[in-house]
Amino acid sequence: RRLLHAAREFRKVSDESPNNRLAPEALLRTGDAYADLWRRPELDDSYAQTAKATYQELLNRYPDAPAAARARMRVVDLEEWFAVKAYRSAQYYYRLKAYDSAILYLKDIAATYPRASITPTALLRLVDAYRAVGYAEDRRETCTYIRRFHPTTPGLDLACPAPVDSTAAGT
């Protein structure tokens, strides 16, 4: 409750005095208050989405302000949690053997959060889901993608055995 009040007050400073030197910092603090309201990735992320939008506004309105650099870092942190949230949803569907739903979440993680730390793990789970439903071509393409962009992923060789080079076998 206090965080919401703080967010409103900081927002007021930014909106009523956009040319004030404190306006970028007020927007940063507004975003921080909303971000602090999202306590765990599995919970509703509405406040986190508001925080991200506030940070984006700060970046758009005051790109060179010192607060903007901190906002960029906070967006990265939020996106990590968004990726974890999506991964947990994918895991839920995977456990239920609802592979098509899991696949949608896992593909979205790779597309939306390609730099998130959970992404390589999500891609391996995507390979498992493709294997479960018999999507061999999608599985091969995903393995190729992982090998190219995440070659040090633990478990990669087990999930995606290296293709046999037929030209080397004949020599």
Side-chain angles (χ1 to χ4, degrees):
R1 200 172 154 140
R2 283 192 277 182
L3 287 171
L4 284 174
H5 180 70
R8 281 192 287 277
E9 292 301 313
F10 282 124
R11 183 73 210 202
K12 195 184 314 182
V13 169
S14 169
D15 290 346
E16 291 177 1
S17 305
N19 296 323
N20 187 306
R21 65 178 181 76
L22 296 176
E25 188 69 30
L27 271 178
L28 179 71
R29 298 301 173 134
T30 302
D32 290 347
Y34 282 118
D36 287 347
L37 287 165
W38 190 35
R39 303 213 186 278
R40 294 194 328 253
E42 62 273 8
L43 299 176
D44 176 45
D45 65 358
S46 299
Y47 288 126
Q49 294 292 348
T50 301
K52 183 179 176 185
T54 304
Y55 294 140
Q56 291 299 134
E57 179 183 350
L58 165 57
L59 294 170
N60 292 335
R61 287 173 60 185
Y62 310 102
D64 299 324
R70 296 194 318 268
R72 279 185 203 88
M73 293 186 315
R74 303 247 189 3
V75 168
V76 169
D77 291 343
L78 284 174
E79 288 183 346
E80 280 287 329
W81 272 35
F82 291 140
V84 167
K85 179 179 182 58
Y87 183 72
R88 289 180 181 169
S89 296
Q91 287 287 85
Y92 171 79
Y93 287 112
Y94 190 91
R95 282 191 302 274
L96 292 177
K97 298 186 182 349
Y99 299 115
D100 288 329
S101 295
I103 287 168
L104 291 174
Y105 276 98
L106 295 166
K107 286 173 65 175
D108 184 60
I109 293 167
T112 307
Y113 311 107
R115 291 180 188 85
S117 60
I118 196 81
T119 299
T121 302
L123 288 165
L124 288 181
R125 182 55 88 183
L126 181 59
V127 168
D128 293 341
Y130 283 148
R131 184 178 291 114
V133 293
Y135 295 174
E137 184 60 32
D138 290 321
R139 185 175 50 82
R140 278 191 297 278
E141 288 175 6
T142 304
C143 285
T144 299
Y145 179 87
I146 300 169
R147 287 196 181 285
R148 181 171 178 201
F149 295 104
H150 304 283
T152 61
T153 301
L156 176 59
D157 290 332
L158 185 60
C160 299
V164 177
D165 185 357
S166 58
T167 58
T171 57

